Amino acid sequence: QSGADAVETVVEVVSEVGAEAAAAVRTHSTRLSRLFTPKRIRNLSIAALFAAAWEVYQDLRPGGHHGMVLLAAHDLVDTGTRASTRLARFLGSRWLKLAMALVALGFAVVELVEDFLPGAHHGVAVLAAANCVSGFAELVAAREDVV
């Protein structure tokens, strides 16, 4: 088999696997979207908020658990600000959500510096960083809409 034939074979296999993978993602994402409704996400965010707040109560040293409180609150704000009230507009503020994500990232980094062994603080750092990137992207998009 020549090099060109080998490449063609690889392309065929990848396209078949890619098509099957895409179909599987579509099927499972539809099922997951039915499972994770906004109300369920809000309830999970409330549960996460209380669990993280309990851990903060038990250990006041700054760390990932403080960041988790902010991330849970961030998600709660994200799912709960569909109303057009003044409070909802404030809580849905891009700047507030970005600030919450940045502070959560800061708390996670504090714990990462103290303890780099794998743990929940790594997850908090990743989620907070993702929320920071998302927050910055929202601000940029909003600014472009104004200009």
Side-chain angles (χ1 to χ4, degrees):
Q1 191 175 28
S2 72
D5 291 336
V7 169
E8 188 60 35
T9 302
V10 169
V11 168
E12 287 175 17
V13 169
V14 168
S15 64
E16 287 175 19
V17 170
E20 290 174 15
V25 167
R26 274 189 224 99
T27 300
H28 293 299
S29 67
T30 303
R31 289 180 187 156
L32 286 175
S33 67
R34 283 190 227 124
L35 179 64
F36 290 107
T37 64
K39 184 177 180 179
R40 285 187 181 142
I41 291 173
R42 186 174 57 245
N43 291 339
L44 289 170
S45 296
I46 291 169
L49 181 64
F50 280 110
W54 177 252
E55 190 172 343
V56 167
Y57 173 75
Q58 292 177 324
D59 180 11
L60 291 177
R61 288 179 309 144
H65 48 289
H66 288 80
M68 190 61 221
V69 168
L70 290 168
L71 288 177
H74 183 280
D75 283 349
L76 193 58
V77 165
D78 232 12
T79 59
T81 56
R82 305 291 186 248
S84 61
T85 65
R86 184 177 294 167
L87 177 62
R89 281 193 305 271
F90 169 73
L91 291 176
S93 160
R94 291 178 185 96
W95 289 102
L96 177 64
K97 292 193 299 186
L98 179 60
M100 291 170 72
L102 286 169
V103 173
L105 182 60
F107 278 123
V109 167
V110 165
E111 192 166 346
L112 283 170
V113 168
E114 291 177 4
D115 176 16
F116 200 71
L117 292 175
H121 50 285
H122 286 82
V124 171
V126 169
L127 290 174
N131 283 336
C132 288
V133 169
S134 174
F136 283 121
E138 282 184 31
L139 286 174
V140 169
R143 186 170 183 207
E144 289 174 355
D145 288 343
V146 171
V147 175

